[in-house]
Amino acid sequence: GSYVLFDNVDPWSIQKLDVSTKAVTPVLEMENTSHVVFGVARNTGLMVYTSTNEKTSGSPFFLTRFDGDKLGEPRKFVSVTRSKGFVFSKDGNKVYFTPYSSNPKEINDTEMAETDLATGKTSKLTNFNIEKILNYTISRDGTKLYLVRGNTTDEVVMIKNVQ
């Protein structure tokens, strides 16, 4: 059947909405732990998510099977601690994501990576070195990867002693 996966805040969990029955059921729920879905490949039944609580640091990303009802055994699969999301190739054999970095503590939003799920090898996919990758997706037929690049400005101004 058709379903939608979403993150829930109370309780912190990943939920499934059955489109035909409108029933909502928990897929992943643990006390004092938050979960966020970062990518789903329905055609291969794969999902990427992260789970954090006060005992974890670095928020590892997990890859698991999802058959529409229950999760398989999760495994850590990339050495980055944050991402804008994970996009699967049409055949489900590769996952594309930012940031690319050979050092997990380095933040590099200018490059994109791919991980081959058969070999576990992560490779640099782009060579921009300028502008950030702001968003990305794959075409419906799975033959093209679309990127949105640009720059953002994050400025904070503190005003003191205003009456």
Side-chain angles (χ1 to χ4, degrees):
S2 294
Y3 61 86
V4 176
L5 292 174
F6 63 95
D7 312 315
N8 193 38
V9 179
D10 190 15
W12 289 97
S13 59
I14 296 172
Q15 304 278 325
K16 178 183 101 171
L17 168 67
D18 184 303
V19 174
S20 60
T21 66
K22 310 268 188 283
V24 175
T25 55
V27 172
L28 181 62
E29 192 173 46
M30 287 186 263
E31 194 167 321
N32 298 320
T33 303
S34 62
H35 311 283
V36 179
V37 175
F38 273 85
V40 176
R42 287 180 190 242
N43 58 332
T44 57
L46 293 171
M47 180 172 81
V48 176
Y49 71 94
T50 187
S51 295
T52 57
N53 59 37
E54 66 261 356
K55 296 176 187 167
T56 60
S57 64
S59 303
F61 290 100
F62 298 100
L63 178 70
T64 189
R65 293 239 170 246
F66 180 65
D67 65 7
D69 289 315
K70 62 181 179 172
L71 292 178
E73 190 64 34
R75 66 177 172 101
K76 292 181 187 178
F77 82 110
V78 292
S79 64
V80 295
T81 56
R82 65 174 193 72
S83 179
K84 291 183 171 86
F86 295 83
V87 177
F88 290 84
S89 62
K90 184 176 181 176
D91 61 8
N93 291 329
K94 294 187 179 181
V95 180
Y96 308 106
F97 61 95
T98 63
Y100 169 79
S101 178
S102 55
N103 176 355
K105 296 192 184 312
E106 178 185 321
I107 296 171
N108 184 354
D109 284 339
T110 63
E111 303 301 344
M112 186 123 202
E114 81 176 4
T115 294
D116 184 309
L117 295 178
T119 65
K121 182 180 178 209
T122 298
S123 307
K124 186 175 175 182
L125 194 61
T126 59
N127 194 22
F128 297 137
N129 294 320
I130 57 168
E131 299 183 326
K132 291 181 179 182
I133 296 173
L134 302 174
N135 203 349
Y136 44 92
T137 192
I138 199 159
S139 62
R140 286 187 183 261
D141 65 2
T143 61
K144 295 180 182 84
L145 181 65
Y146 298 105
L147 306 173
V148 176
R149 292 180 25 206
N151 288 309
T152 59
T153 304
D154 298 328
E155 293 182 18
V156 176
V157 177
M158 185 166 87
I159 302 172
K160 293 172 105 178
N161 300 327
V162 176
Q163 306 223 0

